[in-house]
Amino acid sequence: MRKENQKLLGKFKSDLQKVSCCLKGSDRNSVSAAYKLFIEYAFEMVCDRWLTLNVDEDIADGAIFIRKKNIVHNYEQYGCDFAFGDALLSYFDLVAASEPFEDIFTMLHEEFLLTGLKGEGLGQFFAAADISYLIAELILTDDSTAKHDFCDDCCGAGSLNLGMMKGRYRENPEAFKTMNIEVTDIDELACKSAFIQIVASMIAHKIPINQVRVFNSNVLTQWGKAGQLMVGLRSPDRSPVSSIKPVNLRAFEKVSALCKTSVKHTREAIAV
């Protein structure tokens, strides 16, 4: 990570610490709780932003957005709107300054949720970003179907699919308009993290992907069963340069308006 990006990462982590000050509990537990709540909040805001940028009910352009209605919203009860907004702005700044599809959350998951816990809970251990990128380079052979369709049945925070997407984008950015991404995890927080990372990069770097689907399920016991789709989108049928509505091309310049008073104000701020 570049020196400038290291500074932005430090700012983001500092803003997460401010969120934790709104919560009760030990320093370690409150930072962990703040990070989880931030993921919930960021998921909602990224969903709202993608809808604002891409879905026009008056135009039959193929854009689709589907989301389960019973997704957790614990962040709403803490009254940390200013702190969440500052952290979200810092995260967006980091995404915009980073290479497309840079993996940010995997290392934060390890730092805030998994380090020292030895895989407790769901027994999670996330692949490091460098390892994921190496695996992606091995996957992306000339005749690889992963160049057009990629599935990960235990996605974690999205490290492997992000590594593949980063490599593919370096190789051929135009290919993303026909790419389909499908990821699955048993952990709802991991599913949200993976979705945020993919879609935030799509928005920040103006990269349309044909389809992104996230399943919150156990692939060993629930594979193929109905009702497992957590969130999914299909980009508009437009050329890459015009796949985002023109009036919203500067999405991340408007992020500074996010969450300055309340969740209601935030949603008003990102509406066009």
Short mmCIF file of all heavy atoms in Angstrom, two decimals, residues 69-127:
data_model
loop_
_atom_site.label_atom_id
_atom_site.label_comp_id
_atom_site.label_asym_id
_atom_site.label_seq_id
_atom_site.Cartn_x
_atom_site.Cartn_y
_atom_site.Cartn_z
N LYS A 69 -35.09 -8.28 2.88
CA LYS A 69 -35.63 -7.23 3.74
C LYS A 69 -35.25 -7.42 5.22
O LYS A 69 -35.34 -6.48 5.99
CB LYS A 69 -37.15 -7.19 3.61
CG LYS A 69 -37.63 -6.75 2.23
CD LYS A 69 -39.14 -6.68 2.16
CE LYS A 69 -39.61 -6.22 0.78
NZ LYS A 69 -41.08 -6.15 0.68
N ASN A 70 -34.84 -8.63 5.60
CA ASN A 70 -34.59 -8.91 7.02
C ASN A 70 -33.11 -8.85 7.37
O ASN A 70 -32.62 -9.59 8.21
CB ASN A 70 -35.14 -10.28 7.39
CG ASN A 70 -34.52 -11.40 6.57
OD1 ASN A 70 -33.95 -11.15 5.52
ND2 ASN A 70 -34.65 -12.63 7.05
N ILE A 71 -32.36 -7.95 6.74
CA ILE A 71 -30.94 -7.79 7.03
C ILE A 71 -30.79 -6.91 8.28
O ILE A 71 -31.53 -5.95 8.48
CB ILE A 71 -30.21 -7.16 5.83
CG1 ILE A 71 -30.30 -8.11 4.63
CG2 ILE A 71 -28.76 -6.87 6.15
CD1 ILE A 71 -29.72 -7.53 3.35
N VAL A 72 -29.81 -7.25 9.11
CA VAL A 72 -29.61 -6.57 10.39
C VAL A 72 -29.29 -5.09 10.21
O VAL A 72 -28.54 -4.70 9.31
CB VAL A 72 -28.46 -7.26 11.17
CG1 VAL A 72 -28.15 -6.53 12.46
CG2 VAL A 72 -28.83 -8.71 11.47
N HIS A 73 -29.85 -4.24 11.10
CA HIS A 73 -29.58 -2.80 11.09
C HIS A 73 -29.28 -2.32 12.51
O HIS A 73 -29.85 -1.34 12.99
CB HIS A 73 -30.76 -2.01 10.54
CG HIS A 73 -31.13 -2.35 9.14
ND1 HIS A 73 -32.07 -3.30 8.82
CD2 HIS A 73 -30.65 -1.88 7.96
CE1 HIS A 73 -32.18 -3.39 7.50
NE2 HIS A 73 -31.33 -2.55 6.95
N ASN A 74 -28.40 -2.99 13.23
CA ASN A 74 -28.14 -2.64 14.62
C ASN A 74 -27.56 -1.24 14.79
O ASN A 74 -27.71 -0.63 15.85
CB ASN A 74 -27.17 -3.66 15.25
CG ASN A 74 -27.85 -4.99 15.52
OD1 ASN A 74 -29.04 -5.04 15.82
ND2 ASN A 74 -27.09 -6.06 15.43
N TYR A 75 -26.90 -0.73 13.78
CA TYR A 75 -26.24 0.57 13.91
C TYR A 75 -27.22 1.69 14.20
O TYR A 75 -26.87 2.72 14.79
CB TYR A 75 -25.44 0.90 12.64
CG TYR A 75 -26.28 1.22 11.43
CD1 TYR A 75 -26.74 2.51 11.20
CD2 TYR A 75 -26.64 0.22 10.52
CE1 TYR A 75 -27.52 2.80 10.09
CE2 TYR A 75 -27.41 0.51 9.42
CZ TYR A 75 -27.86 1.79 9.21
OH TYR A 75 -28.64 2.08 8.11
N GLU A 76 -28.49 1.51 13.82
CA GLU A 76 -29.47 2.58 13.96
C GLU A 76 -29.78 2.93 15.40
O GLU A 76 -30.26 4.03 15.69
CB GLU A 76 -30.75 2.19 13.22
CG GLU A 76 -30.59 2.09 11.71
CD GLU A 76 -31.87 1.68 11.01
OE1 GLU A 76 -32.73 1.05 11.68
OE2 GLU A 76 -32.01 1.97 9.82
N GLN A 77 -29.50 2.03 16.34
CA GLN A 77 -29.91 2.26 17.73
C GLN A 77 -28.86 2.99 18.56
O GLN A 77 -29.11 3.31 19.72
CB GLN A 77 -30.24 0.92 18.40
CG GLN A 77 -29.05 -0.03 18.52
CD GLN A 77 -29.43 -1.36 19.11
OE1 GLN A 77 -29.74 -1.44 20.30
NE2 GLN A 77 -29.41 -2.41 18.31
N TYR A 78 -27.68 3.29 17.99
CA TYR A 78 -26.60 3.83 18.80
C TYR A 78 -26.46 5.34 18.74
O TYR A 78 -25.73 5.93 19.53
CB TYR A 78 -25.27 3.16 18.41
CG TYR A 78 -25.17 1.75 18.94
CD1 TYR A 78 -25.54 0.68 18.15
CD2 TYR A 78 -24.74 1.51 20.24
CE1 TYR A 78 -25.48 -0.62 18.63
CE2 TYR A 78 -24.67 0.22 20.74
CZ TYR A 78 -25.04 -0.83 19.93
OH TYR A 78 -24.98 -2.12 20.42
N GLY A 79 -27.09 6.00 17.81
CA GLY A 79 -27.00 7.45 17.73
C GLY A 79 -25.60 7.96 17.46
O GLY A 79 -25.20 9.02 17.97
N CYS A 80 -24.82 7.21 16.67
CA CYS A 80 -23.45 7.60 16.34
C CYS A 80 -23.35 8.12 14.91
O CYS A 80 -22.36 7.86 14.21
CB CYS A 80 -22.51 6.39 16.51
SG CYS A 80 -22.48 5.68 18.15
N ASP A 81 -24.37 8.83 14.47
CA ASP A 81 -24.46 9.17 13.06
C ASP A 81 -23.27 9.99 12.56
O ASP A 81 -22.75 9.75 11.47
CB ASP A 81 -25.76 9.92 12.79
CG ASP A 81 -26.99 9.09 13.13
OD1 ASP A 81 -26.94 7.88 12.93
OD2 ASP A 81 -27.98 9.67 13.60
N PHE A 82 -22.85 10.97 13.35
CA PHE A 82 -21.70 11.77 12.93
C PHE A 82 -20.46 10.91 12.79
O PHE A 82 -19.71 11.02 11.82
CB PHE A 82 -21.45 12.89 13.94
CG PHE A 82 -22.42 14.03 13.85
CD1 PHE A 82 -23.54 14.08 14.64
CD2 PHE A 82 -22.20 15.06 12.94
CE1 PHE A 82 -24.43 15.14 14.56
CE2 PHE A 82 -23.09 16.13 12.85
CZ PHE A 82 -24.21 16.17 13.66
N ALA A 83 -20.23 10.05 13.76
CA ALA A 83 -19.04 9.19 13.76
C ALA A 83 -19.08 8.20 12.60
O ALA A 83 -18.07 7.98 11.92
CB ALA A 83 -18.92 8.45 15.09
N PHE A 84 -20.23 7.59 12.36
CA PHE A 84 -20.37 6.68 11.23
C PHE A 84 -20.11 7.42 9.91
O PHE A 84 -19.43 6.90 9.01
CB PHE A 84 -21.77 6.08 11.18
CG PHE A 84 -21.99 4.93 12.13
CD1 PHE A 84 -23.08 4.94 12.97
CD2 PHE A 84 -21.13 3.86 12.16
CE1 PHE A 84 -23.30 3.89 13.85
CE2 PHE A 84 -21.34 2.80 13.03
CZ PHE A 84 -22.43 2.82 13.89
N GLY A 85 -20.64 8.61 9.79
CA GLY A 85 -20.47 9.38 8.57
C GLY A 85 -19.01 9.72 8.31
O GLY A 85 -18.53 9.62 7.18
N ASP A 86 -18.28 10.12 9.37
CA ASP A 86 -16.86 10.43 9.21
C ASP A 86 -16.07 9.20 8.80
O ASP A 86 -15.19 9.27 7.94
CB ASP A 86 -16.30 11.00 10.51
CG ASP A 86 -16.77 12.41 10.79
OD1 ASP A 86 -17.26 13.07 9.84
OD2 ASP A 86 -16.68 12.85 11.95
N ALA A 87 -16.38 8.05 9.41
CA ALA A 87 -15.69 6.81 9.07
C ALA A 87 -15.99 6.41 7.64
O ALA A 87 -15.09 5.94 6.91
CB ALA A 87 -16.08 5.70 10.04
N LEU A 88 -17.23 6.58 7.22
CA LEU A 88 -17.61 6.22 5.86
C LEU A 88 -16.90 7.12 4.84
O LEU A 88 -16.42 6.65 3.80
CB LEU A 88 -19.12 6.33 5.69
CG LEU A 88 -19.68 5.87 4.35
CD1 LEU A 88 -19.37 4.41 4.08
CD2 LEU A 88 -21.18 6.10 4.28
N LEU A 89 -16.82 8.40 5.15
CA LEU A 89 -16.12 9.32 4.27
C LEU A 89 -14.65 8.93 4.15
O LEU A 89 -14.07 8.93 3.06
CB LEU A 89 -16.26 10.75 4.80
CG LEU A 89 -15.53 11.85 4.02
CD1 LEU A 89 -15.98 11.87 2.56
CD2 LEU A 89 -15.76 13.20 4.70
N SER A 90 -14.03 8.56 5.27
CA SER A 90 -12.63 8.14 5.25
C SER A 90 -12.44 6.87 4.43
O SER A 90 -11.46 6.73 3.70
CB SER A 90 -12.13 7.92 6.68
OG SER A 90 -12.14 9.11 7.43
N TYR A 91 -13.39 5.95 4.57
CA TYR A 91 -13.31 4.71 3.79
C TYR A 91 -13.42 5.02 2.30
O TYR A 91 -12.65 4.50 1.48
CB TYR A 91 -14.41 3.75 4.21
CG TYR A 91 -14.53 2.55 3.30
CD1 TYR A 91 -13.52 1.58 3.25
CD2 TYR A 91 -15.63 2.39 2.46
CE1 TYR A 91 -13.60 0.50 2.40
CE2 TYR A 91 -15.72 1.31 1.60
CZ TYR A 91 -14.72 0.36 1.58
OH TYR A 91 -14.80 -0.71 0.73
N PHE A 92 -14.37 5.87 1.91
CA PHE A 92 -14.53 6.23 0.50
C PHE A 92 -13.28 6.91 -0.05
O PHE A 92 -12.88 6.68 -1.19
CB PHE A 92 -15.74 7.15 0.33
CG PHE A 92 -17.06 6.45 0.44
CD1 PHE A 92 -18.22 7.19 0.66
CD2 PHE A 92 -17.17 5.08 0.32
CE1 PHE A 92 -19.45 6.57 0.76
CE2 PHE A 92 -18.39 4.45 0.42
CZ PHE A 92 -19.54 5.20 0.63
N ASP A 93 -12.68 7.77 0.75
CA ASP A 93 -11.44 8.42 0.33
C ASP A 93 -10.35 7.38 0.05
O ASP A 93 -9.60 7.48 -0.93
CB ASP A 93 -10.95 9.39 1.40
CG ASP A 93 -11.78 10.66 1.48
OD1 ASP A 93 -12.50 10.96 0.50
OD2 ASP A 93 -11.73 11.34 2.53
N LEU A 94 -10.27 6.38 0.91
CA LEU A 94 -9.27 5.32 0.75
C LEU A 94 -9.54 4.49 -0.49
O LEU A 94 -8.62 4.17 -1.26
CB LEU A 94 -9.26 4.44 2.00
CG LEU A 94 -8.28 3.27 2.02
CD1 LEU A 94 -6.85 3.74 1.77
CD2 LEU A 94 -8.37 2.53 3.35
N VAL A 95 -10.80 4.13 -0.73
CA VAL A 95 -11.16 3.36 -1.92
C VAL A 95 -10.83 4.14 -3.19
O VAL A 95 -10.25 3.61 -4.14
CB VAL A 95 -12.66 2.99 -1.91
CG1 VAL A 95 -13.08 2.35 -3.24
CG2 VAL A 95 -12.95 2.02 -0.77
N ALA A 96 -11.20 5.41 -3.21
CA ALA A 96 -10.97 6.24 -4.39
C ALA A 96 -9.48 6.42 -4.68
O ALA A 96 -9.07 6.52 -5.84
CB ALA A 96 -11.64 7.60 -4.21
N ALA A 97 -8.65 6.44 -3.63
CA ALA A 97 -7.21 6.63 -3.80
C ALA A 97 -6.48 5.33 -4.12
O ALA A 97 -5.33 5.37 -4.55
CB ALA A 97 -6.62 7.26 -2.54
N SER A 98 -7.13 4.21 -3.91
CA SER A 98 -6.50 2.91 -4.09
C SER A 98 -6.71 2.39 -5.50
O SER A 98 -7.55 2.89 -6.25
CB SER A 98 -7.08 1.89 -3.10
OG SER A 98 -6.84 2.28 -1.76
N GLU A 99 -5.95 1.38 -5.85
CA GLU A 99 -6.15 0.70 -7.13
C GLU A 99 -7.52 0.05 -7.13
O GLU A 99 -8.00 -0.41 -6.09
CB GLU A 99 -5.06 -0.35 -7.30
CG GLU A 99 -5.05 -1.05 -8.64
CD GLU A 99 -3.91 -2.02 -8.80
OE1 GLU A 99 -3.10 -2.14 -7.86
OE2 GLU A 99 -3.83 -2.66 -9.86
N PRO A 100 -8.20 -0.02 -8.30
CA PRO A 100 -9.51 -0.68 -8.33
C PRO A 100 -9.47 -2.09 -7.74
O PRO A 100 -8.57 -2.87 -8.04
CB PRO A 100 -9.84 -0.71 -9.83
CG PRO A 100 -9.14 0.48 -10.38
CD PRO A 100 -7.86 0.58 -9.60
N PHE A 101 -10.43 -2.36 -6.86
CA PHE A 101 -10.62 -3.67 -6.23
C PHE A 101 -9.50 -4.02 -5.25
O PHE A 101 -9.19 -5.19 -5.03
CB PHE A 101 -10.83 -4.77 -7.28
CG PHE A 101 -11.93 -4.44 -8.24
CD1 PHE A 101 -11.66 -4.14 -9.55
CD2 PHE A 101 -13.25 -4.38 -7.81
CE1 PHE A 101 -12.66 -3.79 -10.44
CE2 PHE A 101 -14.28 -4.03 -8.67
CZ PHE A 101 -13.98 -3.74 -9.99
N GLU A 102 -8.93 -2.99 -4.65
CA GLU A 102 -7.97 -3.21 -3.56
C GLU A 102 -8.71 -3.80 -2.37
O GLU A 102 -9.80 -3.36 -2.01
CB GLU A 102 -7.33 -1.88 -3.16
CG GLU A 102 -6.20 -1.99 -2.17
CD GLU A 102 -4.91 -2.45 -2.80
OE1 GLU A 102 -4.70 -2.17 -4.00
OE2 GLU A 102 -4.11 -3.08 -2.10
N ASP A 103 -8.14 -4.81 -1.73
CA ASP A 103 -8.75 -5.45 -0.57
C ASP A 103 -8.37 -4.68 0.68
O ASP A 103 -7.21 -4.64 1.08
CB ASP A 103 -8.28 -6.91 -0.47
CG ASP A 103 -8.95 -7.66 0.67
OD1 ASP A 103 -9.83 -7.09 1.34
OD2 ASP A 103 -8.58 -8.83 0.89
N ILE A 104 -9.36 -4.06 1.32
CA ILE A 104 -9.13 -3.27 2.52
C ILE A 104 -9.65 -3.97 3.77
O ILE A 104 -9.02 -3.98 4.82
CB ILE A 104 -9.78 -1.89 2.37
CG1 ILE A 104 -9.10 -1.10 1.24
CG2 ILE A 104 -9.71 -1.10 3.68
CD1 ILE A 104 -9.82 0.17 0.84
N PHE A 105 -10.80 -4.60 3.66
CA PHE A 105 -11.46 -5.14 4.84
C PHE A 105 -10.85 -6.42 5.39
O PHE A 105 -10.98 -6.70 6.58
CB PHE A 105 -12.95 -5.39 4.56
CG PHE A 105 -13.78 -4.14 4.55
CD1 PHE A 105 -14.99 -4.10 3.87
CD2 PHE A 105 -13.38 -3.00 5.22
CE1 PHE A 105 -15.77 -2.97 3.86
CE2 PHE A 105 -14.14 -1.85 5.21
CZ PHE A 105 -15.35 -1.83 4.53
N THR A 106 -10.20 -7.23 4.56
CA THR A 106 -9.66 -8.50 5.06
C THR A 106 -8.69 -8.27 6.20
O THR A 106 -8.77 -8.91 7.25
CB THR A 106 -8.99 -9.29 3.93
OG1 THR A 106 -10.00 -9.76 3.03
CG2 THR A 106 -8.25 -10.51 4.48
N MET A 107 -7.75 -7.34 6.02
CA MET A 107 -6.78 -7.10 7.09
C MET A 107 -7.45 -6.48 8.31
O MET A 107 -7.03 -6.72 9.46
CB MET A 107 -5.64 -6.22 6.58
CG MET A 107 -6.05 -4.86 6.08
SD MET A 107 -4.61 -3.94 5.46
CE MET A 107 -5.40 -2.52 4.70
N LEU A 108 -8.50 -5.69 8.10
CA LEU A 108 -9.21 -5.11 9.24
C LEU A 108 -10.02 -6.15 9.99
O LEU A 108 -10.12 -6.11 11.22
CB LEU A 108 -10.10 -3.96 8.76
CG LEU A 108 -9.37 -2.76 8.15
CD1 LEU A 108 -10.37 -1.72 7.67
CD2 LEU A 108 -8.41 -2.14 9.16
N HIS A 109 -10.62 -7.08 9.25
CA HIS A 109 -11.29 -8.22 9.89
C HIS A 109 -10.31 -8.96 10.79
O HIS A 109 -10.62 -9.30 11.93
CB HIS A 109 -11.83 -9.18 8.81
CG HIS A 109 -13.31 -9.08 8.60
ND1 HIS A 109 -13.90 -8.00 8.01
CD2 HIS A 109 -14.31 -9.95 8.88
CE1 HIS A 109 -15.21 -8.20 7.95
NE2 HIS A 109 -15.48 -9.37 8.46
N GLU A 110 -9.14 -9.24 10.26
CA GLU A 110 -8.13 -9.96 11.03
C GLU A 110 -7.74 -9.17 12.27
O GLU A 110 -7.63 -9.72 13.37
CB GLU A 110 -6.89 -10.23 10.18
CG GLU A 110 -7.10 -11.25 9.07
CD GLU A 110 -7.18 -12.67 9.58
OE1 GLU A 110 -6.94 -12.90 10.78
OE2 GLU A 110 -7.49 -13.56 8.77
N GLU A 111 -7.53 -7.87 12.11
CA GLU A 111 -7.07 -7.04 13.22
C GLU A 111 -8.13 -6.86 14.29
O GLU A 111 -7.84 -7.00 15.49
CB GLU A 111 -6.64 -5.67 12.69
CG GLU A 111 -6.17 -4.71 13.77
CD GLU A 111 -5.69 -3.39 13.22
OE1 GLU A 111 -5.53 -3.27 11.98
OE2 GLU A 111 -5.47 -2.45 14.02
N PHE A 112 -9.36 -6.58 13.89
CA PHE A 112 -10.39 -6.22 14.85
C PHE A 112 -11.23 -7.40 15.36
O PHE A 112 -11.78 -7.33 16.45
CB PHE A 112 -11.34 -5.18 14.24
CG PHE A 112 -10.68 -3.87 13.93
CD1 PHE A 112 -10.94 -3.23 12.74
CD2 PHE A 112 -9.82 -3.27 14.83
CE1 PHE A 112 -10.34 -2.00 12.44
CE2 PHE A 112 -9.22 -2.05 14.55
CZ PHE A 112 -9.48 -1.42 13.35
N LEU A 113 -11.34 -8.46 14.55
CA LEU A 113 -12.26 -9.54 14.91
C LEU A 113 -11.61 -10.90 15.14
O LEU A 113 -12.13 -11.70 15.92
CB LEU A 113 -13.33 -9.69 13.82
CG LEU A 113 -14.16 -8.45 13.48
CD1 LEU A 113 -15.17 -8.77 12.40
CD2 LEU A 113 -14.86 -7.91 14.73
N LEU A 114 -10.50 -11.18 14.47
CA LEU A 114 -9.99 -12.55 14.48
C LEU A 114 -8.66 -12.73 15.20
O LEU A 114 -8.40 -13.80 15.76
CB LEU A 114 -9.84 -13.07 13.04
CG LEU A 114 -11.12 -13.06 12.20
CD1 LEU A 114 -10.83 -13.59 10.81
CD2 LEU A 114 -12.22 -13.87 12.86
N THR A 115 -7.79 -11.74 15.20
CA THR A 115 -6.46 -11.89 15.79
C THR A 115 -6.55 -12.25 17.27
O THR A 115 -7.23 -11.58 18.05
CB THR A 115 -5.65 -10.58 15.65
OG1 THR A 115 -5.49 -10.30 14.26
CG2 THR A 115 -4.28 -10.72 16.29
N GLY A 116 -5.88 -13.33 17.63
CA GLY A 116 -5.88 -13.80 19.01
C GLY A 116 -7.07 -14.65 19.38
O GLY A 116 -7.09 -15.25 20.46
N LEU A 117 -8.05 -14.76 18.50
CA LEU A 117 -9.24 -15.55 18.80
C LEU A 117 -9.12 -16.98 18.26
O LEU A 117 -9.96 -17.82 18.55
CB LEU A 117 -10.48 -14.88 18.21
CG LEU A 117 -10.78 -13.48 18.74
CD1 LEU A 117 -12.03 -12.92 18.08
CD2 LEU A 117 -10.93 -13.50 20.24
N LYS A 118 -8.09 -17.24 17.45
CA LYS A 118 -7.79 -18.59 16.94
C LYS A 118 -8.98 -19.21 16.22
O LYS A 118 -9.28 -20.38 16.37
CB LYS A 118 -7.32 -19.50 18.08
CG LYS A 118 -6.06 -18.99 18.78
CD LYS A 118 -5.63 -19.88 19.90
CE LYS A 118 -4.37 -19.34 20.57
NZ LYS A 118 -3.94 -20.19 21.72
N GLY A 119 -9.65 -18.40 15.42
CA GLY A 119 -10.73 -18.92 14.61
C GLY A 119 -11.97 -19.31 15.37
O GLY A 119 -12.75 -20.15 14.93
N GLU A 120 -12.18 -18.71 16.54
CA GLU A 120 -13.37 -19.03 17.31
C GLU A 120 -14.63 -18.61 16.57
O GLU A 120 -14.58 -17.93 15.56
CB GLU A 120 -13.31 -18.32 18.67
CG GLU A 120 -12.23 -18.89 19.58
CD GLU A 120 -12.11 -18.14 20.89
OE1 GLU A 120 -12.91 -17.21 21.11
OE2 GLU A 120 -11.23 -18.48 21.68
N GLY A 121 -15.78 -19.01 17.10
CA GLY A 121 -17.04 -18.68 16.43
C GLY A 121 -17.24 -19.57 15.23
O GLY A 121 -17.54 -20.75 15.35
N LEU A 122 -17.06 -19.00 14.04
CA LEU A 122 -17.24 -19.76 12.81
C LEU A 122 -15.94 -20.37 12.32
O LEU A 122 -15.88 -20.93 11.23
CB LEU A 122 -17.81 -18.84 11.72
CG LEU A 122 -19.21 -18.28 11.98
CD1 LEU A 122 -19.58 -17.26 10.91
CD2 LEU A 122 -20.23 -19.40 12.02
N GLY A 123 -14.89 -20.27 13.10
CA GLY A 123 -13.61 -20.84 12.70
C GLY A 123 -13.01 -20.14 11.50
O GLY A 123 -12.41 -20.76 10.62
N GLN A 124 -13.12 -18.82 11.44
CA GLN A 124 -12.72 -18.07 10.26
C GLN A 124 -11.23 -17.74 10.28
O GLN A 124 -10.68 -17.31 11.28
CB GLN A 124 -13.51 -16.77 10.18
CG GLN A 124 -15.00 -16.96 9.91
CD GLN A 124 -15.77 -15.69 10.12
OE1 GLN A 124 -15.70 -15.07 11.18
NE2 GLN A 124 -16.52 -15.26 9.12
N PHE A 125 -10.62 -17.95 9.13
CA PHE A 125 -9.26 -17.49 8.86
C PHE A 125 -9.28 -16.96 7.43
O PHE A 125 -9.58 -17.69 6.50
CB PHE A 125 -8.24 -18.63 8.99
CG PHE A 125 -8.08 -19.12 10.41
CD1 PHE A 125 -8.85 -20.17 10.88
CD2 PHE A 125 -7.17 -18.52 11.26
CE1 PHE A 125 -8.71 -20.62 12.19
CE2 PHE A 125 -7.03 -18.96 12.56
CZ PHE A 125 -7.80 -20.02 13.03
N PHE A 126 -8.98 -15.67 7.25
CA PHE A 126 -9.08 -15.06 5.93
C PHE A 126 -7.74 -15.05 5.22
O PHE A 126 -6.70 -14.77 5.83
CB PHE A 126 -9.59 -13.62 6.04
CG PHE A 126 -11.03 -13.51 6.46
CD1 PHE A 126 -11.59 -12.27 6.72
CD2 PHE A 126 -11.84 -14.63 6.60
CE1 PHE A 126 -12.92 -12.14 7.10
CE2 PHE A 126 -13.16 -14.52 6.97
CZ PHE A 126 -13.70 -13.28 7.23
N ALA A 127 -7.76 -15.32 3.94
CA ALA A 127 -6.55 -15.30 3.13
C ALA A 127 -6.02 -13.88 3.00
O ALA A 127 -6.78 -12.94 2.78
CB ALA A 127 -6.82 -15.89 1.75
#
